[in-house]
């Protein structure tokens, strides 16, 4: 529980999660959410959705965790493009690629969020293996970034933190190449790699073709404070 958020809730079997527990957590969060118009429930398991929705929470996004083993599956970069190592100097370019790539899609965010998330990646992922698995794809003619793949560490295993390709360069195998590059690079160091995909994102079909299997879904929900207080 942080500020105005309930996050990553679980109960130890055989104890079930109940409406009474949810109401208790809501009351605790409301006490610390004075400066926020709403409270959030993040990473809610599918079996807990009904309880939160019964309290008035509205589902905003659902994401599936997908996972596959690492192995040598690297292929040459698509003709006309080449990868370069990721460095903090690329931060503005990475933000620009993400902003354009995600525009009007399931993962669209505001500019401040792109900046914050990208800065967080560079500040917290300095392990050489992760930076080596990450990449920026440049156009061989303009030498400008057209795609990016950031790989972080989550719960002891690599996580594809972001993968984005500019709309004008899609369907050329760039996303597949960057993901396969990460899978191959990490093979000597980690047994598996994971990613999250938002429900409705057509990229899920690509991940399935690349051997990723779903490991369950997690939802984010929101409840306006005035509605919660009225209950």
């Amino acid at each position: 529980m942080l500020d105005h958020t309930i996050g990553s809730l679980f109960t130890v079997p055989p104890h079930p999660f109940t409406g009474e527990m949810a109401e208790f957590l809501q009351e605790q969060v409301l006490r610390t959410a004075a400066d926020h118009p709403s409270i959030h429930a993040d990473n809610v398991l599918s079996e807990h959705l009904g309880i939160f929705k019964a309290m008035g929470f509205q589902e905003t996004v659902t994401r599936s965790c997908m996972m596959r083993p690492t192995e040598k599956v690297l292929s040459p970069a698509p003709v006309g493009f080449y990868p370069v190592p990721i460095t903090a100097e690329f931060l503005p370019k990475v933000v620009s690629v993400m902003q354009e790539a995600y525009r009007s899609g399931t993962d669209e965010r505001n500019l401040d969020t792109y900046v914050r998330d990208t800065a967080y990646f560079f500040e917290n992922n300095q392990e050489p293996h992760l930076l080596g698995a990450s990449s920026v794809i440049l156009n061989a003619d303009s030498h400008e970034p057209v795609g990016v793949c950031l790989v972080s560490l989550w719960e002891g295993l690599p996580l594809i933190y972001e993968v984005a390709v500019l709309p004008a360069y899609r369907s050329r195998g760039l996303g597949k190449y960057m993901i396969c590059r990460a899978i191959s690079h990490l093979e000597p160091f980690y047994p598996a790699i994971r990613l999250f995909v938002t429900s409705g994102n057509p990229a899920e079909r690509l991940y399935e073709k690349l051997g990723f299997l779903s490991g369950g879904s997690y939802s984010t929900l929101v409840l306006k404070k005035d509605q919660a207080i009225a209950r």
Side-chain angles (χ1 to χ4, degrees):
M1 292 166 53
L2 295 172
D3 201 3
H4 63 305
T5 302
I6 303 168
S8 301
L9 173 69
F10 69 93
T11 54
V12 179
H15 305 289
F17 179 61
T18 66
E20 289 79 5
M21 291 181 182
E23 290 177 3
F24 172 79
L25 293 173
Q26 174 185 285
E27 291 174 1
Q28 302 305 308
V29 172
L30 283 171
R31 295 177 183 175
T32 63
D35 297 329
H36 300 277
S38 59
I39 59 176
H40 296 255
D42 292 341
N43 297 325
V44 176
L45 299 175
S46 57
E47 58 263 35
H48 298 162
L49 278 176
I51 292 176
F52 281 98
K53 287 183 177 180
M55 295 169 56
F57 279 83
Q58 299 294 317
E59 188 175 352
T60 60
V61 64
T62 296
R63 308 182 80 198
S64 295
C65 180
M66 305 185 75
M67 184 176 184
R68 65 149 291 160
T70 55
E71 62 177 319
K72 293 298 183 183
V73 293
L74 184 61
S75 58
V79 176
F81 305 92
Y82 64 96
V84 294
I86 190 78
T87 65
E89 295 176 1
F90 276 105
L91 193 153
K93 294 288 188 179
V94 168
V95 169
S96 179
V97 169
M98 289 167 53
Q99 187 176 24
E100 186 172 346
Y102 296 151
R103 184 173 288 121
S104 301
T106 56
D107 293 313
E108 183 177 21
R109 288 158 269 171
N110 59 48
L111 178 59
D112 289 343
T113 302
Y114 292 131
V115 172
R116 183 177 66 248
D117 290 350
T118 306
Y120 180 88
F121 170 83
F122 285 113
E123 291 168 1
N124 293 276
N125 295 281
Q126 292 301 313
E127 182 183 324
H129 303 324
L130 301 177
L131 293 176
S134 303
S135 57
V136 174
I137 296 293
L138 303 185
N139 183 309
D141 295 324
S142 66
H143 306 292
E144 286 295 314
V146 298
V148 61
C149 179
L150 305 180
V151 182
S152 65
L153 200 65
W154 178 55
E155 296 181 343
L157 287 176
L159 175 76
I160 295 179
Y161 186 83
E162 299 283 357
V163 57
V165 176
L166 293 179
Y169 295 91
R170 289 175 185 163
S171 300
R172 303 195 191 189
L174 297 179
K176 176 181 178 180
Y177 169 74
M178 290 188 291
I179 294 172
C180 287
R181 184 179 180 278
I183 293 170
S184 299
H185 181 85
L186 293 167
E187 187 270 337
F189 313 110
Y190 296 97
I193 186 170
R194 295 177 290 186
L195 58 80
F196 281 94
V197 58
T198 304
S199 178
N201 188 336
E204 185 172 3
R205 291 191 293 272
L206 169 62
Y207 303 146
E208 290 173 346
K209 290 180 180 179
L210 292 177
F212 284 87
L213 299 176
S214 178
S217 61
Y218 304 82
S219 299
T220 296
L221 300 96
V222 64
L223 176 65
K224 293 182 179 180
K225 266 176 55 178
D226 56 355
Q227 294 177 345
I229 295 171
R231 289 181 59 82

